[in-house]
Amino acid sequence: MSESTNKSGPETVLIIDFGSQYAQLIARRVREAGAFSLLVAPDTPIEAFNEHNLVGIILSGGPSSVNEEGAPRCSEEIFNLGVPVLGICYGMQLACSLLGGKVEGAHAREYGRSSLQVVKNEGLFRGIPADTAVWMSHGDQVESLGDTFDVLATTSTCPMAAVAHKTIPFYGVQFHPEVTHTPHGVELLRNFLYEICNIKGTWRMTDFMEQQCKLIKEKVGDKKVLCGLSGGVDSSVVAALIHKAIGHQLVCVFVDNGLLRKNEKEFVETTFRDHFDIDLRVADAAYTFLTDLEGVTEPQLKRTKIGHQFIEIFKESASEIEKESGEGFDYLAQGTLYPDVIESGHGYSGEAANIKLHHNVGGLPEELGFDLIEPLRDLFKDEVRKLGEVLGLPDGLIWRHPFPGPGLAVRCLGDITEEKLRVLRDCDEILLEEIVAANLYRHTDQVFAVLLPVQSVGVMGDGRTYESVVAIRAVETQDFMTADWARIPYDVLATVSNRIINEVRGVNRVVYDISSKPPATIEWE
């Protein structure tokens, strides 16, 4: 059982990530069970563990072999912290090795579903059937443990599929309880948290909100914070949270780059200036952006130009506000999320880190010389939406589909003109109206129209036309890393097509994109 602690903050489970593709999934499962969780690198100093209200530690799986040179390891001191430790796959093998066991290459490697026989139906396996399916993915396994461990479960090829140390609160499982392919895996993780770690399960989004408000107040003091508001979910939740914490010490800047959806500026102004009484400044920079993009057709050049102009306009806006008020800004607020931090390798040096550089992690703060405030950097996307609900943001904003930073520039293929943007906005508005009317908006993850740089022959009335082609893109995804095209009902597609061709001047053909990601990307450019 875990020792009680007087440390403030939420009950926290630290997950030492050895490079598992499922590490983030473990973190989510813990949070869903009612405890806070964070991923840490194997070489995290043991002193850092004591900074948290620590109730448990989980050692993730990973692609390495415990016996190979350079394999990631963690400090043996984790077993002296007075909290239970659960090892999963590689995490089990490493811990057993550190505690005197022997790990060898398995005689029969297990990949996929396997049948598990539970030996001790208590503690970790309380309420779990004696025979159950689990998901295995390992080449090594524990071969011998001596008399300091109890065997909790076995498979036909893995006699030590789950173990517990007799004197140290360590438990190990060779399979992956965090994946859906292990039917009772969530129950096992909850058993570890509630039966072994003795968590109270009190972590809630309201607690997170109150804690962040307190931290923001302490960090900012009487200084001012600048926030770039895009109208998307992340920046909107950041703005609402910081405003709740420090009120009018927050100033938001919304840059109208001329590449927004129809009525987007009005929507943002109404929501934040009127509903939340936030100090919102709108930079009308459409002419500057569109002039700079004139004749540009290459997608990456579009993105580069838009990014550069955004920084320049944002800097100008910040300077104007400072001159007007006589006060400078010390902090810049950003909507960086937990997956962004992990994938970019910032603030975490785990074995699976540094996958990509994310647009929210670096760049603008260096240009402006501000300190960063990133109150969402420990949250997943669905948790950000929950926080938005707690903050009172309208459903229409919380559940908005993602909109690319370069806006309609990457949905208007080829060169960009005011007329093409008009056509695209009108098409996009009709598409979203019909998706909402068909109750499909919350069942899809991203839906939008794309104006193609081709024209086709058509017949309208009794005359021949030669007008633009519009593509419809609708996808379903869990993480936006992979995606499948959404099976929109034919009658809905027919209505969208008929309305676009009949109502939008300049379009005579509508096509539907049925490519998945990969190999295609979600956006066309």
Side-chain angles (χ1 to χ4, degrees), residues 484-521:
D484 194 15
W485 60 279
R487 273 60 172 177
I488 303 295
Y490 289 157
D491 59 337
V492 177
L493 291 174
T495 300
V496 171
S497 177
N498 287 336
R499 281 197 60 192
I500 287 176
I501 291 171
N502 288 325
E503 298 176 29
V504 181
R505 189 179 72 256
V507 178
N508 68 358
R509 191 177 299 270
V510 175
V511 298
Y512 190 49
D513 182 350
I514 59 169
S515 48
S516 61
K517 175 187 179 181
T521 54

Side-chain angles (χ1 to χ4, degrees), residues 49-352:
F49 286 68
N50 292 317
E51 296 173 2
H52 301 273
N53 180 7
L54 192 64
V55 294
I57 296 170
I58 296 177
L59 311 180
S60 84
S64 302
S65 169
V66 170
N67 297 318
E68 69 186 23
E69 187 177 349
R73 300 172 72 86
C74 60
S75 171
E76 294 181 46
E77 288 298 309
I78 64 167
F79 301 112
N80 299 325
L81 293 175
V83 298
V85 180
L86 173 66
I88 296 174
C89 198
Y90 178 87
M92 170 187 172
Q93 296 162 13
L94 175 63
C96 288
S97 177
L98 292 173
L99 294 171
K102 185 177 181 181
V103 177
E104 300 284 355
H107 300 298
R109 296 188 174 193
E110 286 186 294
Y111 294 101
R113 194 177 294 271
S114 184
S115 179
L116 184 82
Q117 288 73 51
V118 177
V119 176
K120 293 195 174 184
N121 191 244
E122 59 187 36
L124 198 64
F125 286 92
R126 182 182 178 185
I128 293 176
D131 291 291
T132 185
V134 294
W135 186 260
M136 292 281 198
S137 179
H138 67 100
D140 292 350
Q141 66 184 38
V142 177
E143 288 294 329
S144 63
L145 288 170
D147 58 3
T148 57
F149 281 84
D150 288 325
V151 175
L152 305 181
T154 67
T155 71
S156 60
T157 58
C158 184
M160 301 176 193
V163 300
H165 198 279
K166 291 182 178 179
T167 59
I168 296 171
F170 169 73
Y171 301 79
V173 293
Q174 185 58 70
F175 53 90
H176 288 275
E178 69 274 22
V179 301
T180 55
H181 303 298
T182 300
H184 295 280
V186 171
E187 294 169 51
L188 185 144
L189 288 173
R190 288 181 66 88
N191 282 343
F192 174 69
L193 296 170
Y194 283 93
E195 299 292 322
I196 296 168
C197 297
N198 268 348
I199 72 166
K200 297 181 178 65
T202 55
W203 187 73
R204 299 290 184 270
M205 195 51 69
T206 49
D207 300 327
F208 180 87
M209 177 187 71
E210 291 166 3
Q211 181 195 26
Q212 284 300 315
C213 284
K214 180 182 176 183
L215 291 172
I216 291 166
K217 285 180 185 176
E218 290 174 354
K219 181 172 184 176
V220 172
D222 60 356
K223 296 183 171 64
K224 298 187 73 173
V225 178
L226 187 64
C227 177
L229 189 60
S230 69
V233 179
D234 303 339
S235 69
S236 298
V237 171
V238 165
L241 178 63
I242 295 178
H243 182 257
K244 181 176 179 63
I246 60 172
H248 283 293
Q249 288 171 247
L250 170 72
V251 180
C252 292
V253 173
F254 177 77
V255 177
D256 181 0
N257 58 12
L259 302 164
L260 306 174
R261 288 168 285 203
K262 198 168 185 177
N263 302 320
E264 179 75 3
K265 182 174 74 171
E266 292 76 12
F267 173 80
V268 171
E269 286 183 309
T270 300
T271 301
F272 291 95
R273 185 177 287 158
D274 301 341
H275 182 67
F276 281 97
D277 191 30
I278 286 178
D279 187 355
L280 174 67
R281 313 298 177 93
V282 177
D284 293 310
Y287 178 80
T288 302
F289 278 87
L290 295 181
T291 301
D292 196 36
L293 289 169
E294 192 171 343
V296 177
T297 59
E298 205 277 317
Q300 197 56 33
L301 184 56
K302 286 182 185 178
R303 291 178 177 273
T304 301
K305 283 180 168 289
I306 291 167
H308 174 75
Q309 282 295 344
F310 177 83
I311 290 174
E312 292 303 311
I313 298 296
F314 200 86
K315 286 166 65 176
E316 289 174 15
S317 298
S319 178
E320 289 172 6
I321 297 168
E322 288 177 342
K323 288 178 183 177
E324 174 191 313
S325 64
E327 295 180 80
F329 290 99
D330 292 274
Y331 297 98
L332 177 73
Q334 283 195 164
T336 309
L337 304 191
Y338 201 32
D340 304 335
V341 176
I342 295 167
E343 289 180 344
S344 64
H346 287 249
Y348 164 57
S349 56
E351 300 300 311

Side-chain angles (χ1 to χ4, degrees), residues 456-471:
S456 68
V457 174
V459 178
M460 301 182 77
D462 293 323
R464 175 185 181 276
T465 62
Y466 191 59
E467 295 180 328
S468 297
V469 179
V470 168

